[in-house]
């Protein structure tokens, strides 16, 4: 009885195998027809592109992104070259073995500048897509040579962070590159390994600075994937010890440098490096000025010319040495903290901080 049952089961398995074999042959035949169909579509697309763009050769001028005004070399390419063809030609010309380390950026025909965003890896089909800007065609492409392949780089977030040293008049621009889901805390931890701190236990914070005003202090747990450093400056700095022990009546205020706008006498123009300052409840302007002069290391002769004003929405209210500064920072209803600050009015002839770049790309 067991043998009979096994024989019956075997017959059923053989029948199923025959059906599966027939289905496999059907799928193979169908796949063959699909490949032929896809191939014919590609040929139709190619013919259509050749009719539209002529398929002619195009002499493309290549510029290094770091020297965006200067033609570095030219290559004769077909407008129908795909993305891989173009980067391979560029890599070959530069003597680079890995074309995936080439990143290209298109040209903006209106601004005569590189477009803000580079071309993503295989993000366009053909050369003419790279050269097209709205209804105009350019003959310029910009290139960069990366230290890692572009597909790998696209999985990372790159931020340029200006580090303001606590005691030195020097700003160093650091390029931080981390996975996109990293946090601001990860950025600061990475930065600590690259910079000189005033003491081993120093804590850092990351600020958003725009037009010489501080607009945001980034919380350490904020994800970096949405941070944009294209238009604003990201500034990292040590948190002063006095800010860590604020009393119940102490205030942390914004302090900005400014000049009077000659075209509109009542408005101000900001310049220089903005900063935070702790002011105490009963502290007069004369006392605050002593701390500011020491912090900025301004000579007595120059500092005597400075004027100080409480500024709200770009309108200055000048202060006297006997004024208690904290009483001015009680107002509500201003747009943001950056629009209510202590202004330092003086000529813009103070020694500028030197800038240095620490490139990783």
């Amino acid at each position: 009885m067991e043998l009979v049952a096994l024989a019956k089961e075997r017959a059923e398995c053989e029948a199923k195998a025959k059906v599966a074999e027939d289905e496999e042959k059907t799928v193979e035949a169908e796949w063959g027809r699909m490949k032929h169909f896809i191939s014919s579509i590609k040929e139709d697309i190619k013919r259509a592109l050749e009719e539209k763009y002529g398929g002619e050769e195009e002499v493309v001028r290549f510029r290094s992104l770091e020297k965006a005004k200067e033609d570095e070399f030219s290559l004769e390419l077909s407008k129908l070259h795909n993305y891989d063809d173009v980067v391979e030609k560029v890599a070959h010309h530069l003597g680079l073995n890995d074309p995936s380390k080439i990143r290209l950026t298109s040209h903006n025909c209106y601004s005569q500048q590189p477009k803000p965003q580079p071309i993503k890896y295989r993000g366009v089909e053909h050369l003419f897509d790279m050269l097209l800007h709205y209804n105009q065609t350019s003959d310029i492409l910009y290139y960069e040579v990366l230290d890692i392949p572009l597909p790998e780089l696209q999985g990372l977030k790159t931020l340029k962070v200006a580090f303001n040293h606590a005691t030195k008049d020097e700003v160093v621009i650091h390029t931080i590159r981390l996975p996109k889901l990293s946090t601001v805390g990860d950025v600061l931890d990475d930065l600590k390994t690259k910079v000189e701190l005033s003491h081993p236990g120093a804590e850092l914070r990351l600020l958003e600075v725009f037009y010489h005003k501080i607009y945001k202090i980034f919380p350490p747990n904020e994800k970096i994937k949405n941070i944009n450093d294209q238009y604003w400056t990201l500034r990292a700095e040590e948190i002063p010890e006095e800010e860590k022990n604020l009393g119940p009546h102490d205030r942390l205020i914004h302090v900005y440098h400014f000049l009077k706008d000659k075209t509109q006498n009542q408005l101000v123009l900001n310049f220089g490096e903005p900063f935070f300052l702790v002011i105490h409840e009963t502290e007069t302007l004369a006392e605050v000025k002593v701390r500011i002069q020491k912090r900025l290391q301004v000579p007595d002769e120059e500092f005597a010319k400075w004027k100080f004003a409480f500024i709200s929405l770009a309108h200055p209210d000048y202060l006297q040495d006997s004024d208690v500064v904290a009483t001015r920072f009680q107002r509500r209803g201003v747009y943001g903290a950056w629009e209510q600050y202590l202004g330092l009015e003086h000529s813009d002839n103070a020694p500028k901080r030197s800038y240095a770049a620490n490139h990783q790309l």
Side-chain angles (χ1 to χ4, degrees):
M1 289 176 64
E2 288 179 0
L3 289 173
V4 170
L6 287 171
K8 182 178 180 182
E9 186 177 341
R10 177 181 177 182
E12 291 175 354
C13 290
E14 288 177 346
K16 290 179 180 178
K18 181 67 168 61
V19 171
E21 186 178 348
D22 292 342
E23 289 180 351
E24 184 179 2
K25 290 178 180 178
T26 301
V27 170
E28 286 180 354
E30 189 63 29
W31 176 235
R33 285 192 292 272
M34 289 175 64
K35 286 197 293 185
H36 177 73
F37 179 65
I38 292 170
S39 178
S40 66
I41 288 178
K42 286 183 176 180
E43 289 298 321
D44 290 343
I45 292 173
K46 185 177 180 181
R47 281 194 296 271
L49 292 174
E50 287 175 347
E51 289 176 7
K52 184 174 181 179
Y53 297 101
E56 75 274 10
E57 298 294 307
E58 174 81 16
V59 176
V60 181
R61 294 181 287 156
F62 286 88
R63 300 175 178 179
S64 169
L65 197 62
E66 294 181 351
K67 298 179 180 179
K69 296 291 185 182
E70 303 174 14
D71 292 348
E72 189 166 316
F73 61 90
S74 298
L75 294 176
E76 188 173 342
L77 305 169
S78 167
K79 288 182 179 178
L80 298 182
H81 274 338
N82 62 28
Y83 175 90
D84 288 344
D85 295 332
V86 176
V87 294
E88 283 174 9
K89 296 283 187 182
V90 174
H92 178 74
H93 179 86
L94 297 173
L96 187 67
N97 293 327
D98 188 355
S100 69
K101 290 184 178 179
I102 295 292
R103 180 163 65 178
L104 300 174
T105 300
S106 296
H107 181 69
N108 185 319
C109 297
Y110 300 111
S111 68
Q112 295 297 308
Q113 297 286 335
K115 288 186 179 180
Q117 298 299 327
I119 298 170
K120 291 185 177 181
Y121 179 72
R122 293 177 177 169
V124 296
E125 288 288 338
H126 300 95
L127 174 63
F128 64 79
D129 297 313
M130 300 179 188
L131 301 177
L132 194 63
H133 180 65
Y134 293 110
N135 60 344
Q136 295 192 43
T137 302
S138 168
D139 64 345
I140 298 171
L141 281 177
Y142 305 87
Y143 78 91
E144 301 167 85
V145 178
L146 309 174
D147 62 340
I148 61 173
L150 181 54
E152 182 180 342
L153 180 63
Q154 287 180 178
L156 304 174
K157 177 75 173 181
T158 301
L159 296 173
K160 293 189 181 301
V161 180
F163 177 69
N164 289 38
H165 196 280
T167 58
K168 297 180 181 178
D169 282 337
E170 180 183 65
V171 177
V172 181
I173 309 296
H174 290 270
T175 300
I176 307 294
R177 200 165 55 195
L178 294 170
K180 291 181 178 179
L181 293 180
S182 300
T183 64
V184 168
D186 296 326
V187 172
L188 297 177
D189 287 341
D190 185 80
L191 193 61
K192 285 179 181 179
T193 66
K194 298 177 169 65
V195 301
E196 178 187 352
L197 301 175
S198 63
H199 62 280
E203 296 180 36
L204 300 182
R205 63 185 169 202
L206 187 67
L207 311 175
E208 180 183 273
V209 179
F210 184 62
Y211 276 100
H212 312 286
K213 294 182 178 181
I214 299 170
Y215 280 80
K216 182 176 181 178
I217 303 176
F218 289 95
N221 60 352
E222 182 166 339
K223 295 288 191 293
I224 66 172
K225 62 180 180 180
N226 298 321
I227 295 178
N228 187 343
D229 63 347
Q230 184 177 340
Y231 301 107
W232 4 94
T233 299
L234 297 180
R235 190 177 93 186
E237 62 185 19
E238 292 186 22
I239 302 174
E241 291 301 316
E242 66 172 0
E243 291 186 25
K244 299 177 185 178
N245 302 297
L246 292 178
H249 302 293
D250 293 336
R251 283 182 173 271
L252 185 65
I253 65 170
H254 294 234
V255 183
Y256 303 156
H257 305 267
F258 78 95
L259 289 168
K260 276 287 190 66
D261 188 342
K262 294 180 181 179
T263 60
Q264 301 183 62
N265 193 42
Q266 294 305 310
L267 297 180
V268 302
L269 295 174
N270 296 105
F271 67 92
E273 296 284 347
F275 59 94
F276 290 113
L277 183 71
V278 175
I279 56 172
H280 308 296
E281 184 181 14
T282 60
E283 201 170 20
T284 64
L285 176 63
E287 294 169 316
V288 172
K289 284 166 63 175
V290 171
R291 292 198 289 122
I292 290 177
Q293 182 179 9
K294 181 179 179 182
R295 176 170 180 160
L296 300 181
Q297 299 179 354
V298 183
D300 291 342
E301 184 179 351
E302 172 66 24
F303 194 71
K305 303 174 186 177
W306 287 25
K307 296 179 181 178
F308 296 77
F310 169 79
I311 298 181
S312 180
L313 298 174
H315 292 276
D317 181 9
Y318 289 93
L319 302 175
Q320 303 299 318
D321 281 354
S322 59
D323 289 335
V324 177
V325 179
T327 60
R328 299 301 181 103
F329 289 88
Q330 306 294 327
R331 302 182 186 181
R332 296 293 182 264
V334 294
Y335 181 72
W338 56 88
E339 293 297 355
Q340 189 183 65
Y341 58 89
L342 180 63
L344 315 180
E345 183 183 6
H346 60 95
S347 58
D348 188 10
N349 58 3
K352 302 295 188 298
R353 282 176 175 247
S354 60
Y355 281 74
N358 182 0
H359 293 291
Q360 290 188 356
L361 291 178

